[in-house]
Amino acid sequence: MLKSVLSGLILTVLSVVALGGAFVSGAQAQVQAQNAPPPLEAYSASPAVELMELSPSGDLIALIAVVGETRAIVVTNMATGELVFTATVGEIKVRDLRWIGEGRVLVITSQSRSIPTLGVPLSELYFGQIVDLEKKKLVQVLSNTPDVLAVLYGWPSIRRTPEGEVLFARGVNLANGQINLHQIDLKTGRGRPVKIMTRETTDYVVDGQGEVIAMARYVERSGRWTLMLPRGRGFYGAWSVDAPVDTPAFYGMGRTPRTIVIGADRPDLAQQDLDGETPAVMFEVNVDTGEWTRLPFEHHPDSLIHHSATRLLLGASREEEDGTRYEFLEPEAARRWRAIARAFVDKAPRLVSWNEDQTMALVFTDKNESGLYQLVNFDRGVAEILAQSYPEIAAEQVGAVRQIQYAAADGLEISGYLTLPPGVDDPSKLPLVVLAHGGPASRDVMGFDWWGQALASRGYAVLQANFRGSTGYSRAFLEAGYGEWGRKMQTDLSDGVRWLTEQGIVDPDRVCVVGASYGGYAAMAGLTLDKGVYRCGVAVSGVSDLRRMVNWEARQEGGRNNQTVRYWNRFMGAARFNDRALDALSPAHLATTVEAPLLLIHGRDDTVVPIEQSRVMAEAMRRAGKPVELIELAGEDHWLSRADTRRQMLRETVRFLEANNPPR
């Protein structure tokens, strides 16, 4: 049954067009837009394809397909269209998909689970499975490894060594407490320890020979970070720095086999990038000589791109207001990406995957459409549409997204996006939903946002502002958010409402605020700390009591002196642990001042913001005699990973908005 469904869902090439040696994407999927908008289920459903990856040769494609709530790993032969392998992975969450050579695929999943016998509270636990295409079976990573939990500790590494493809993964040894690096038997999943590591070993880099060439050591209480490099048969501390909050980070191998990439604050070697969010600069470090060299990126990158086989550094990407900017250090990769950018002009293409010789590339676009995966073939000079993310939503049903900029009350420039209801070209006096992003050190981006588009489809304009404290702009912009929870971070949102009102785009009397995580806090703060702007608020998985939240983090981390607590105290503006000054910024302590109805939605399995945060707010509102609803989502985590509960969240949100802020 599953195979027949997948055969119809996956990999129907809709068209192939070549023009003047440049790639031209095929015709869009022919889905007729209806007078009525798509059902909310079309937006809340998981994307039909969640992940997709080219094999090293480019002959095969592996992907995660979603049918209802069930996810499946699918491997297809590109030349014949044959389904080489299909297997369900169940209703668990799939986080990553990577090839191990041409014959195996690594699938990384996660589940919200506790292990009471080991004293592990409800946490997000990660697991690895190896798909063996020849034997048509799945093997669990770290399976049957003596005394070691079959749970991944950090992200695994894949390397092509002279002996073939090798998978490395860290696992917790219950007998001695070590978290060693293991080489995984690809046939059985069993691990063999190859490097002793402890909890203080926070990261590592393996070279192309399968040897550990760098380790990072971090002492939580002191905040001391140390770069460990090889010397003889051991390792030595090559460089240390006090980093109580912003620690240096590894980013894999460099441009040569004996170099690694580190993001670190080294004012003695280089000035910080003006467009970076932290003082960190990207350096290439020679592990034999200890020499540091600044990488020649024009802009501070968000992430790095490595070769699929050698794992050497090719380039980097950075999220900007009009899409993802790519910068390649390797000339041939740069030339090929320029060809793709020309072919997909005005589409803001994103690179998903390359094959080993870079003759094929998987590209994703979702600007003014609901998401398309396309395969670029350089040898044939064509681009082929492979799959849609949301096949029930036609391009004509996608609301136009405009980039906007406005000045906050103190003059700081705020950028963001305004999504209009589908078919609206000349907006005037529209009802508005302010949709605040989480983080807060995160950002909204250009492209199809299922939540924003769902609200726009119901007749609302949707404002997504990258308020101060958001990433993607500069360190000064990020730091402008420190201590501004409920203050300027909040008024940055309402300043956007006022600007849209001045432009005549929205009706200031028909505005509500919605958000998740930090955005959930912003929704509650909009009704308590920034009064008179919103007719209603919807807070999903939000923080209502800041001091209680930090204290919970301390309990989770086993003490107050840790990096997580230090981070939140800095961002929230607390002078010390358990600082009662945070109560004045906590909506749960201000419920008596609320003058608009509030809807609270929270997943019971949330491991990031505990559900007690919404329960505390609901109880405070009830005691104050204020209108409040609390909806608890069974089996849901912080990220709304399940389609059925995401659907419930969206239905309840739209119901609440339409009752308290009718779109027409």
Side-chain angles (χ1 to χ4, degrees), residues 254-255 297 305-308 310 312-316 327-330 333 354 358:
R255 291 171 290 182
F297 290 121
I305 302 168
H306 289 82
H307 192 278
S308 60
T310 66
L312 297 180
L313 180 65
L314 291 179
E327 187 175 352
F328 289 96
L329 303 177
E330 199 275 323
W354 255 330
Q358 297 175 12

Side-chain angles (χ1 to χ4, degrees), residues 70-90:
T70 300
R71 286 160 176 81
I73 168 72
V74 181
V75 179
T76 306
N77 186 298
M78 287 301 300
T80 65
E82 173 194 2
L83 288 174
V84 176
F85 180 87
T86 61
T88 60
V89 292

